[in-house]
């Protein structure tokens, strides 16, 4: 695990994917400063090349500089979208491996989570800088706890699709579409013996089915210790309906797995996006009454 933060430490905010301006980041900057942290703004903030926060080389250079800067203790993605996969192969992680620091975000940042988790280094799946303005107090509170190394434990109401049981293992995962897109690459996280978290946004329902079928058929699901399904938000359907919602699709594909499975976990593209540490060992207990996820 990278070192947790303390007052006086510096957090860098940059854009690895879509463009964003400095004004939009003011709530995030004020939040970090209210916690006694210093903020460095990346060179990609305010830059643009069509959808992206500047060309690939510029986004990669910004990330590399923050990665190699010993004064920056955490790197917080300003926004998601798409584009991180275009820069990951340009990044030199040699110095980072010697002295890891927190890489924070979700959605498109799943590329970095998986790539870094493969190095046996932890990352932080938490809200983006752009999300601060709309995030719930609980999401912000858990982000602070995660940053400063306080204990994380979540008690989640039962869902009718849950499969009861207990599991211990390393938590990995992220955005389903991104995980699907990096299968077969060196960034594809090894799911064997792990606890897998999944979430997604704005996908067609049959796409969810297709991606989950891929994970099933390529063997990614067969040796999991547990599955945690987060927000499956703002899904789309065709004129001729698929006939099942996203949770029903997932439940149908994983129902034969003899492992604990939790649905509707509060993380992902939702306002109540609770912080989690990927690469960290967790304990999951799923009962008829509730599910409890505890980070060791």
């Amino acid at each position: 695990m990278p070192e947790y933060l303390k007052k006086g430490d510096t957090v860098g905010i940059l854009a690895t994917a879509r463009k964003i301006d400095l004004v939009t980041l003011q709530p995030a900057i004020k939040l970090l400063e209210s916690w006694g942290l210093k903020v460095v703004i990346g060179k990609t903030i305010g830059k643009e090349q069509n959808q992206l926060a500047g060309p690939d080389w510029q986004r990669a250079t910004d990330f590399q500089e923050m990665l190699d800067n010993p004064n920056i203790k955490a790197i917080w993605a300003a926004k998601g979208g798409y584009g991180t996969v275009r820069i990951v192969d340009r990044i030199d992680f040699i110095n980072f491996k010697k002295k890891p620091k927190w890489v924070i975000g979700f959605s498109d940042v799943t590329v970095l989570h998986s790539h870094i988790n493969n190095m046996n280094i932890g990352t932080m799946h938490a809200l983006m800088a752009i999300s601060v303005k709309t995030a719930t107090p609980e999401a912000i509170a858990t982000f602070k706890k995660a940053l400063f190394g306080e204990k994380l434990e979540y008690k989640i109401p039962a869902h009718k699709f849950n499969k009861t049981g207990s599991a211990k293992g390393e938590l990995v995962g992220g955005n389903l579409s991104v995980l699907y897109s990096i299968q077969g690459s060196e960034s594809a996280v090894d799911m064997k013996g792990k606890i897998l978290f999944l979430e997604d946004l704005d996908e067609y329902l049959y796409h969810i089915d297709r991606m989950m079928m891929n994970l099933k058929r390529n063997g990614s699901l067969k040796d999991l210790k547990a599955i945690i399904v987060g927000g499956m938000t703002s899904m789309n359907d065709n004129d001729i309906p698929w006939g099942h919602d996203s949770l029903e699709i997932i439940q149908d594909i994983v129902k034969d797995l003899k492992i604990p499975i939790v649905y509707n976990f509060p993380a992902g593209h939702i306002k109540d996006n609770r912080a989690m540490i990927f690469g960290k060992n967790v304990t999951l207990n799923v009962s008829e009454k509730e599910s409890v996820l505890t980070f060791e």
Side-chain angles (χ1 to χ4, degrees):
M1 290 295 126
E3 290 182 7
Y4 293 104
L5 273 60
K6 59 185 184 300
K7 286 187 177 182
D9 283 345
T10 300
V11 177
I13 301 178
L14 49 63
T16 61
R18 283 194 182 156
K19 61 187 178 183
I20 188 170
D21 58 55
L22 185 57
V23 173
T24 307
L25 294 177
Q26 290 308 309
I29 295 168
K30 290 176 181 176
L31 179 69
L32 293 180
E33 290 176 343
S34 75
W35 294 343
L37 299 170
K38 299 172 184 175
V39 180
V40 170
I41 299 300
K43 297 172 184 174
T44 44
I45 305 304
K47 295 291 192 296
E48 62 177 284
Q49 184 182 70
N50 302 316
Q51 292 185 9
L52 300 171
D56 294 345
W57 69 263
Q58 191 168 45
R59 301 194 323 283
T61 300
D62 200 17
F63 190 83
Q64 187 74 62
E65 287 177 355
M66 286 199 182
L67 211 60
D68 293 339
N69 186 338
N71 296 320
I72 293 176
K73 304 300 183 184
I75 300 173
W76 194 11
K79 191 177 183 179
Y82 169 75
T84 306
V85 73
R86 295 186 57 85
I87 70 170
V88 68
D89 292 328
R90 295 172 179 250
I91 306 300
D92 183 346
F93 288 93
I94 289 177
N95 291 331
F96 172 77
K97 288 179 184 178
K98 296 175 184 174
K99 184 69 173 176
K101 61 185 68 178
W102 290 109
V103 174
I104 308 160
F106 73 107
S107 192
D108 194 57
V109 180
T110 297
V111 174
L112 294 173
H113 289 308
S114 295
H115 198 81
I116 292 170
N117 293 159
N118 282 347
M119 304 172 194
N120 293 317
I121 295 172
T123 57
M124 196 172 297
H125 186 277
L127 51 95
M128 303 280 201
I130 194 176
S131 310
V132 168
K133 191 174 181 180
T134 56
T136 64
E138 291 81 7
I140 290 173
T142 61
F143 178 41
K144 184 179 182 182
K145 282 185 175 183
L147 272 181
F148 289 96
E150 297 179 34
K151 183 178 174 65
L152 290 175
E153 183 175 85
Y154 299 112
K155 295 182 178 180
I156 309 303
H159 186 277
K160 63 181 180 179
F161 291 160
N162 283 3
K163 291 190 74 171
T164 59
S166 298
K168 289 186 177 184
E170 180 185 333
L171 183 64
V172 297
N175 182 267
L176 173 59
S177 298
V178 176
L179 290 169
Y180 170 79
S181 73
I182 58 177
Q183 287 289 305
S185 77
E186 65 175 299
S187 300
V189 72
D190 179 10
M191 299 179 192
K192 188 174 182 178
K194 309 288 178 64
I195 294 177
L196 177 65
F197 169 79
L198 297 172
E199 63 83 29
D200 218 325
L201 167 78
D202 194 28
E203 281 290 346
Y204 275 89
L205 291 170
Y206 80 92
H207 287 185
I208 300 295
D209 192 272
R210 177 167 63 192
M211 292 186 288
M212 288 300 301
M213 284 301 301
N214 175 270
L215 294 184
K216 182 176 183 177
R217 296 186 69 240
N218 72 26
S220 294
L221 303 181
K222 69 177 182 178
D223 293 318
L224 289 174
K225 289 188 175 179
I227 298 174
I228 301 171
V229 182
M232 289 285 165
T233 314
S234 302
M235 294 295 161
N236 306 299
D237 208 350
N238 301 89
D239 291 337
I240 301 174
W242 181 251
H244 302 281
D245 65 26
S246 54
L247 296 190
E248 289 171 337
I249 291 168
I250 295 171
Q251 192 265 347
D252 179 61
I253 291 170
V254 303
K255 64 186 177 186
D256 293 332
L257 299 177
K258 293 175 172 47
I259 56 174
I261 303 176
V262 174
Y263 293 83
N264 273 0
F265 188 89
H269 289 80
I270 53 178
K271 292 179 180 179
D272 193 17
N273 182 15
R274 311 283 180 96
M276 297 186 291
I277 308 294
F278 284 174
K280 194 170 182 67
N281 286 325
V282 299
T283 300
L284 178 66
N285 290 302
V286 186
S287 70
E288 300 287 350
K289 178 183 163 186
E290 65 179 3
S291 301
V292 181
L293 180 66
T294 306
F295 289 78
E296 295 180 7

